[in-house]
Amino acid sequence: MTMTSEQAAWFADTFEKLVANVGQAVLGKENVIRLTFTAMLAEGHVLFEDAPGTGKTSLARALAATVQGSNNRIQFTPDLLPSDVTGVTIYDQKTQKFEFHKGPIFNNIVLADEINRASPKTQSALLEVMEESRVTVDGVTYSAGRPFMVMATQNPIEQAGTYRLPEAQLDRFLIKTSIGYPDHASTVRLLGGSNVKDRSKELSAVITTQAVADMADLAATGHVDTAVLEYISRLCEETRNAPETRLGVSVRGALAMVRAAKVWAASQGRNFVLPDDIKELAPVVWTHRFVMDPEAEFSGATPEAVLARILADVAAPQQRTNA
């Protein structure tokens, strides 16, 4: 069943309330908040490449407070173990049974701070839960629940003692973006309220976690015309065939775009996706999935420039269609 126009209007109104509520704690970053909620409602994850102190933890807390969800922060370090993330099975001598003690990954919103500082073994502990929203420990599978979103961060400046995220893990992030520093006006507001250490504590919930899951299910019923699907497929093929890339957008990346575009369209009161939605989301949904050719990269080629050329070269479908 396809989303109706009335349902799309309700979705857009609720989406605006969510963004506005988080905006009270994270000042001057409306677009980043929109992208983060888009990832949440598309049941994906976000990678922030940011310098320290830009408000990533505040954003995670504000999101959780807005949807009445739980949140946790995991500081990724070289000595962090996979069991420190997923949890561990411990033998209880009183009951003479093994009991599973859940790790911090079992929260609605998980901030994986400086994810690239942990060893590849620990990073791999996130692969299953990010793809399937479940964790398997000692042969037993545990659901992560809904909504579930990993917000991971990595510092783009300090690379000493870090491990590069493998392509399989980067591909599991729906969106890669950055918060950046606030503008002048927002900075002045922040400084004026310096007595408030955590603005998210002052937020009231807008909806429940069950309502978020319902919104995600509703967004998934948005209409995507065959012409738009063909457009997405052609763009993905061009990223793979580009001389500057060794690896382009995967099938997972194409599916991620469809899910994100449905949410993005619904957030604007539409129950159908336009080619412009694809163009708008492509830089944050696709560029982190590129593996550049070393020689091209040395010559100055960037994923953003390659994608911009492809978007300009591949003709978008002209007909506006709805369900």
Side-chain angles (χ1 to χ4, degrees):
M1 183 176 177
T2 305
M3 184 193 314
T4 64
S5 299
E6 292 75 16
Q7 288 173 322
W10 170 83
F11 189 104
D13 181 63
T14 306
F15 192 93
E16 290 300 323
K17 291 178 180 177
L18 295 173
V19 172
N21 199 60
V22 173
Q24 297 178 55
V26 184
L27 305 179
K29 297 297 177 183
E30 181 179 324
N31 189 58
V32 173
I33 298 171
R34 288 181 178 277
L35 289 173
T36 308
F37 270 120
T38 297
M40 176 186 286
L41 295 170
E43 300 191 288
H45 313 281
V46 185
L47 176 61
F48 292 99
E49 193 166 77
D50 254 317
T54 53
K56 298 177 288 292
T57 302
S58 297
L59 176 58
R61 289 174 178 170
L63 289 169
T66 298
V67 302
Q68 287 188 346
S70 59
N71 76 95
N72 209 326
R73 177 176 176 271
I74 308 173
Q75 185 63 53
F76 278 66
T77 54
D79 60 347
L80 191 74
L81 299 175
S83 58
D84 295 330
V85 176
T86 59
V88 63
T89 302
I90 299 176
Y91 183 74
D92 190 326
Q93 292 184 342
K94 292 183 179 180
T95 61
Q96 295 187 345
K97 293 181 180 179
F98 285 97
E99 293 184 358
F100 178 62
H101 293 250
K102 292 184 176 181
I105 199 67
F106 288 93
N107 282 275
N108 298 121
I109 298 171
V110 178
L111 180 63
D113 206 6
E114 295 190 282
I115 187 174
N116 55 337
R117 290 200 176 278
S119 67
K121 181 178 181 179
T122 301
Q123 289 182 23
S124 67
L126 294 172
L127 294 179
E128 180 186 17
V129 70
M130 288 178 67
E131 181 70 16
E132 303 174 27
S133 294
R134 65 182 188 182
V135 174
T136 303
V137 178
D138 295 331
V140 182
T141 300
Y142 306 90
S143 173
R146 296 178 72 195
F148 171 71
M149 180 171 68
V150 173
M151 293 172 55
T153 73
Q154 58 181 6
N155 187 336
I157 306 300
E158 180 57 60
Q159 299 297 321
T162 64
Y163 300 87
R164 183 178 176 274
L165 295 184
E167 284 71 29
Q169 187 158 357
L170 282 171
D171 207 29
R172 281 167 167 77
F173 286 102
L174 179 71
I175 286 172
K176 179 185 177 184
T177 186
S178 63
I179 297 179
Y181 293 113
D183 57 29
H184 176 73
S186 299
T187 301
V188 172
R189 287 180 60 193
L190 282 168
L191 296 176
S194 59
N195 59 310
V196 181
K197 291 185 177 180
D198 187 357
R199 289 173 176 265
S200 64
K201 291 182 179 179
E202 299 179 349
L203 299 181
S204 300
V206 174
I207 58 176
T208 63
T209 52
Q210 180 57 52
V212 173
D214 293 340
M215 287 183 71
D217 291 337
L218 178 62
T221 65
H223 176 70
V224 187
D225 189 77
T226 302
V228 177
L229 295 176
E230 291 177 348
Y231 178 55
I232 294 172
S233 179
R234 287 198 303 272
L235 289 173
C236 291
E237 289 170 2
E238 288 300 317
T239 66
R240 300 166 196 157
N241 296 331
E244 301 93 336
T245 64
R246 295 180 61 183
L247 196 66
V249 177
S250 66
V251 175
R252 182 190 284 119
L255 291 169
M257 174 60 80
V258 174
R259 298 200 313 271
K262 287 181 178 181
V263 176
W264 195 254
S267 72
Q268 299 175 39
R270 287 183 279 109
N271 60 347
F272 58 95
V273 173
L274 295 174
D276 284 347
D277 297 325
I278 310 304
K279 293 179 180 179
E280 195 165 0
L281 289 171
V284 294
V285 175
W286 279 347
T287 53
H288 63 282
R289 304 172 195 270
F290 289 13
V291 176
M292 301 296 290
D293 179 79
E295 292 187 9
E297 196 169 23
F298 182 76
S299 301
T302 64
E304 292 77 13
V306 172
L307 180 62
R309 189 195 72 232
I310 291 172
L311 289 172
D313 291 346
V314 178
Q318 299 297 314
Q319 184 179 1
R320 172 173 172 160
T321 58
N322 58 6

